[in-house]
Amino acid sequence: MVEPDAVRPFGVEIDLQNGRMLRPERTTVRRASDMRGYYADPGALERLIEEGDNPVHYEVFETPVPETPGNLMYCISALQPGLVGQEFFMTKGHYHEVKETAELYLCLKGQGLMLMKTETGDCTAEAMARGRLVYVPPGWAHRSANTGAETLVSFCVYPAEAGHNYGDIEQEGFPKRVLRVNGRPELVSAAAE
Ligand code: S6P
Ligand code: ZN
């Protein structure tokens, strides 16, 4: 039965053209300095922080709902274009705390790749482009990389109780990195690091 004091129906405006949530209740901002430990070239990241004035890497706009089973959490994720050395700007990436929870990404703007991996070492990537939907199955960690020249924007939706486990990815990383090779994005094995 639905609790009488559960969240009431509501609406949120999304500017589909520019990929913005209008008047979000919560905005998470990740700057270059929040990304220490994630890129293959830490020196390049430090130069970006010092010389590039610690630019915004990505923002997540939310109007949250209770983190309880039955609700759906959703957000707009906006990842800036750029390079750290030869590696495209990316999100930290995470598993969901509740392993059995999937996620849908509908790309609204830009070009990129969604890197996904399992705990058993499977790793794959799906293209992100306006109108493309990427399904992240339960148990797959996910990280997006912006390989284009404009902001990579997605609408994401997932079970509200999912939670986020960043620690494992911070430790392990992904088996592959999205690098610029001869001017083009390429998935490169991280094994040699
Ligand atoms: C949440 C969903 C996205 C990410 C966002 C930033 O489950 O996957 O909203 O939070 O793309 O990435 P990250 O890895 O820093 O949370
Ligand atoms: Zn997620």
Side-chain angles (χ1 to χ4, degrees):
M1 206 183 78
V2 175
E3 293 291 325
D5 61 348
V7 63
R8 299 277 306 165
F10 64 93
V12 169
E13 280 169 73
I14 291 171
D15 173 351
L16 292 175
Q17 209 52 42
N18 298 304
R20 308 290 291 185
M21 185 183 287
L22 306 185
R23 299 176 293 282
E25 234 173 64
R26 184 163 74 195
T27 301
T28 304
V29 181
R30 301 264 186 243
R31 292 184 173 275
S33 58
D34 297 310
M35 299 303 292
R36 286 189 170 112
Y38 285 89
Y39 287 100
D41 185 344
L45 184 68
E46 291 308 318
R47 285 193 293 282
L48 182 69
I49 294 166
E50 281 158 36
E51 295 157 23
D53 214 11
N54 195 16
V56 169
H57 240 60
Y58 58 97
E59 291 159 287
V60 181
F61 305 102
E62 292 173 293
T63 300
V65 295
E67 294 180 13
T68 49
N71 281 306
L72 291 173
M73 197 67 88
Y74 61 92
C75 66
I76 293 278
S77 166
L79 172 60
Q80 294 305 310
L83 288 163
V84 175
Q86 293 306 310
E87 193 166 5
F88 289 100
F89 276 16
M90 62 187 184
T91 58
K92 290 184 171 191
H94 57 267
Y95 289 102
H96 289 164
E97 200 78 57
V98 178
K99 286 278 155 57
E100 302 77 20
T101 52
E103 182 159 348
L104 275 177
Y105 275 72
L106 175 60
C107 185
L108 302 177
K109 186 180 165 153
Q111 297 281 336
L113 283 173
M114 176 70 73
L115 263 181
M116 289 168 279
K117 74 155 194 170
T118 64
E119 284 176 330
T120 51
D122 202 348
C123 182
T124 189
E126 282 292 326
M128 301 174 82
R130 181 174 167 78
R132 226 178 116 71
L133 187 145
V134 175
Y135 186 71
V136 181
W140 288 73
H142 40 289
R143 157 183 289 168
S144 33
N146 186 343
T147 59
E150 55 179 359
T151 312
L152 177 67
V153 182
S154 298
F155 172 74
C156 319
V157 59
Y158 55 99
E161 77 277 20
H164 295 82
N165 167 1
Y166 290 100
D168 286 355
I169 294 300
E170 207 176 341
Q171 295 296 315
E172 310 159 0
F174 276 70
K176 291 174 185 170
R177 291 188 176 277
V178 187
L179 302 184
R180 183 174 68 175
V181 181
N182 299 324
R184 300 173 63 86
E186 213 168 275
L187 279 177
V188 177
S189 168
E193 287 169 14

